[in-house]
Amino acid sequence: MPVKNIATEVIHAGEPHPRVGGAVCLPIFQSAMYETGTATSYHDIQYIRLNNTPNHIAVQDKLAAIENAEAAVVTASGMAAISTALLAVLRVGDHALFQNTLYGGTYDFVTKDLEGFGISYDFIDSDAPDTWAEKLRPETKVIYVESMSNPLLQIGDLESIAVFARENGLISMIDNTFPSPFNFRPVEWGFDLSLHSGTKYLNGHSDIVAGAVAGSKELVEAVKKKLDHLGGSLDPHACFLLHRGMRTLAVRMKQHNVNALTLARFLESHPRVLTVNHPGLASHPRHMRAAELFDGYSGMLSFEVDGGVEAADEVIERLQYPISAPSLGGVESLVTRPVTTSHSGLSDEELQAAGISKSLIRVSVGIEEADDLVRDFARALA
Ligand SMILES: *Cc1c(COP(=O)(O)O)cnc(C)c1O
């Protein structure tokens, strides 16, 4: 497929032609149902839960264009996208492989819910291709990874995952929330389904919860039908806000990329900072891989200061701009200690196995002036 300019696509792709009533911005279609018209099957009736109102269609077409995928469907949350996509392709007796450093909500769904659906699973190290084949079973259907791990920003051997899936007839799924399609388009690297928490960079303004799935027409249609049944549909007002947020994805991501790299370099040079995790740093163990796969490294970083948990909390408290809050991907900088938020469910052993220290600080670097952020962290660390 031709290389597209995402900055142009986010603004123009998916917009209805002709414009509805001449409106430059697609209005909110606050109507639950539509005239039957020529619909002959249930899934063709226009109804908010069936994910096919004008607001759904526009935002879905725009996302498909920027993911360079044939089709996309939006969902009520990132978890609705993940759970619905998994349940669309897995059934009783099937087996799936999951990256061993999953987003917390996904980890809980896999370990607490899949068994109830008669679906078994194994975890894999996404950076150890030699170990994947021994986990395969005749009933293995899916291999599932994330573009960057939370909170250490590790990057698995994603290219090999897509090849391994193809060679073994598996559906490859990737949670692409952290880089966003501005920085990484998994379908271009052979992934079957790219999943998003639209709550994060896609919307970018920390004011809605949303999700999305992009991929081939056939697979997205299967996910859409499962979503029609499970009901995790995005309402038109949230579609409108997601659509509005996505129109500035390119300018926001450019600034997130610059700000995070600037802050990561500053932190790495600071005498009180022990480690910094950001894929754009030459010191990142998979920096070369990230440079090959990604067009930018996103706004996420994590770091450790000397002095343990107390010192980490003191730094967080002294910061003026970053708000101490969970989640990520908005215009404002956010800071958390993952063991108190996203990873609070993990035991000491599990944290140690994952390499996540209790004093680790995660930063979702916003799009404030980079100099102001650097000055703020310098003051907080002084
Ligand atoms: C936030 C997040 C999710 C879940 O998304 P929600 O919109 O909160 O349901 C899934 N994956 C990743 C990587 C996330 O950061």
Side-chain angles (χ1 to χ4, degrees), residues 77-80 82 103 106 146 150 175 177-178 197-200 209-211 327-328:
S77 67
M79 281 314 302
I82 292 162
Y103 169 76
T106 310
E146 295 176 0
N150 177 28
D175 182 332
T177 300
F178 270 41
S197 169
T199 312
K200 317 295 168 56
V209 169
S327 197
L328 61 115

Side-chain angles (χ1 to χ4, degrees), residues 15-16 30 44 50 70 139 185 242 320 379:
E15 299 297 323
Q30 199 66 57
D44 294 332
L50 301 180
E70 283 176 8
E139 60 273 23
R185 291 161 302 282
L242 179 62
Q320 179 190 349
R379 210 179 34 79

Side-chain angles (χ1 to χ4, degrees), residues 43 93 102 107-108 120 139-140 154 176 198 203 268 297 311 371:
H43 290 282
L102 289 173
Y107 179 81
D108 284 347
S120 59
E139 60 273 23
T140 310
Q154 294 150 325
N176 196 36
N203 178 59
E268 196 169 46
Y297 305 104
D371 286 350

Side-chain angles (χ1 to χ4, degrees), residues 11-27 29 54 62 243 247:
I11 291 165
H12 294 290
E15 299 297 323
H17 290 292
R19 277 178 243 287
V20 181
V24 167
C25 292
L26 179 65
F29 280 73
K62 191 183 291 292
H243 186 150
R247 296 201 297 175

Side-chain angles (χ1 to χ4, degrees), residues 1-2 4 6 9 13 59-73 174 176 181 184-196 212-220:
M1 271 184 268
K4 295 173 180 172
I6 291 192
E9 293 287 311
V59 73
Q60 287 170 169
D61 287 354
K62 191 183 291 292
L63 180 64
I66 63 175
E67 282 268 343
N68 220 352
E70 283 176 8
V73 61
I174 183 165
N176 196 36
F184 183 50
R185 291 161 302 282
V187 170
E188 294 175 354
W189 293 84
F191 278 91
D192 294 310
L193 287 176
S194 172
L195 315 175
H196 283 281
V213 181
S216 69
K217 269 204 178 84
E218 190 188 343
L219 279 173
V220 169

